[in-house]
Amino acid sequence: GAGVSQSPSNKVTEKGKDVELRCDPISGHTALYWYRQSLGQGLEFLIYFQGNSAPDKSGLPSDRFSAERTGGSVSTLTIQRTQQEDSAVYLCASSAQGTALYEQYFGPGTRLTVT
Amino acid sequence: AQSVSQHNHHVILSEAASLELGCNYSYGGTVNLFWYVQYPGQHLQLLLKYFSGDPLVKGIKGFEAEFIKSKFSFNLRKPSVQWSDTAEYFCAVNAPERDDKIIFGKGTRLHILP
């Protein structure tokens, strides 16, 4: 079946511009996670959605970052007034339910470059 | 908050060598532990996981990991590596009594020489 998809695969933007990154989770998965992968920094947790519960935003690095999940499915990560340090690969993952007992399935990521 | 340390950032081995990648976590309560792998050009995927029971867990492709609670460790091992094991390996921890977040380490790049 279809896995987690993300778009765009690559995004180059100028410093100060806003960007939107999209994640389509596996159908039926109730949990959705966003991570940021920077060279040498591993995966940094950003935000987590589980069903209709309030999202866990504790990993968002600044108020320039926000995310929403519409209809319990597609999610959009928005970065406002991008900075060069925002350059990274942004990964989305989904799992069948919202506990860590369920395997996370990762998408291919969006490589963001801020010039 | 829980954190994960992977001591080896880059490991180079020859085929058939034995592998052990270190992982330590900092959290005193109940933990779920994971190893994820990212092969070149592919998505991150689960290699193995520990939730409870036998502290020695076996995963795909001949990998295993041992949970040693007293050492807060979950090292990954493979007795004989293959060139196809070249990848980046991530250790991760979840503290289920706190929340459902999974915290990842910074990863270890493994390069196997043919």
Side-chain angles (χ1 to χ4, degrees):
Chain A
V4 177
S5 61
Q6 293 185 246
S7 61
S9 55
N10 281 284
K11 177 72 176 179
V12 180
T13 190
E14 292 180 352
K15 177 181 173 182
K17 301 282 190 183
D18 298 352
V19 295
E20 284 189 352
L21 312 180
R22 177 187 168 106
C23 172
D24 282 89
I26 292 173
S27 178
H29 279 190
T30 62
L32 187 148
Y33 303 76
W34 281 97
Y35 296 91
R36 179 167 67 177
Q37 185 176 21
S38 306
L39 191 63
Q41 295 300 314
L43 271 73
E44 177 187 5
F45 166 79
L46 297 177
I47 188 169
Y48 158 58
F49 296 89
Q50 166 51 23
N52 295 321
S53 302
D56 180 342
K57 303 179 182 180
S58 59
L60 294 178
S62 78
D63 58 8
R64 296 186 295 105
F65 288 71
S66 63
E68 63 178 23
R69 189 177 185 192
T70 55
S73 181
V74 172
S75 177
T76 302
L77 177 70
T78 301
I79 309 174
Q80 296 178 310
R81 306 181 302 282
T82 52
Q83 304 294 312
Q84 288 187 330
E85 60 263 28
D86 299 335
S87 296
V89 176
Y90 288 82
L91 292 171
C92 175
S94 72
S95 65
Q97 292 194 32
T99 77
L101 296 177
Y102 292 85
E103 179 177 349
Q104 292 191 1
Y105 293 84
F106 282 83
T110 293
R111 182 175 297 278
L112 175 65
T113 304
V114 182
T115 62
Chain B
Q2 62 269 34
S3 65
V4 179
S5 296
Q6 291 184 243
H7 316 297
N8 314 104
H9 300 297
H10 196 184
V11 173
I12 302 174
L13 294 172
S14 297
E15 275 194 310
S18 64
L19 169 72
E20 182 161 3
L21 301 182
C23 172
N24 286 88
Y25 65 92
S26 63
Y27 183 70
T30 301
V31 290
N32 297 319
L33 297 158
F34 309 83
W35 277 96
Y36 277 79
V37 60
Q38 189 170 28
Y39 296 103
Q42 296 188 26
H43 304 181
L44 268 164
Q45 59 184 281
L46 183 66
L47 196 56
L48 50 78
K49 61 188 178 185
Y50 170 81
F51 291 153
S52 64
D54 188 344
L56 183 63
V57 293
K58 296 188 183 298
I60 59 173
K61 303 187 181 185
F63 285 90
E64 65 179 31
E66 184 175 13
F67 170 49
I68 302 180
K69 188 174 182 178
S70 62
K71 295 184 178 180
F72 297 88
S73 70
F74 190 57
N75 293 355
L76 181 70
R77 300 194 295 246
K78 185 170 183 178
S80 177
V81 294
Q82 301 172 304
W83 177 78
S84 58
D85 293 325
T86 294
E88 189 160 17
Y89 293 80
F90 295 90
C91 182
V93 64
N94 159 253
E97 295 165 348
R98 293 175 59 106
D99 53 40
D100 291 311
K101 290 190 297 193
I102 297 179
I103 304 301
F104 286 79
K106 294 187 176 183
T108 297
R109 288 187 178 272
L110 176 65
H111 186 70
I112 306 299
L113 303 173

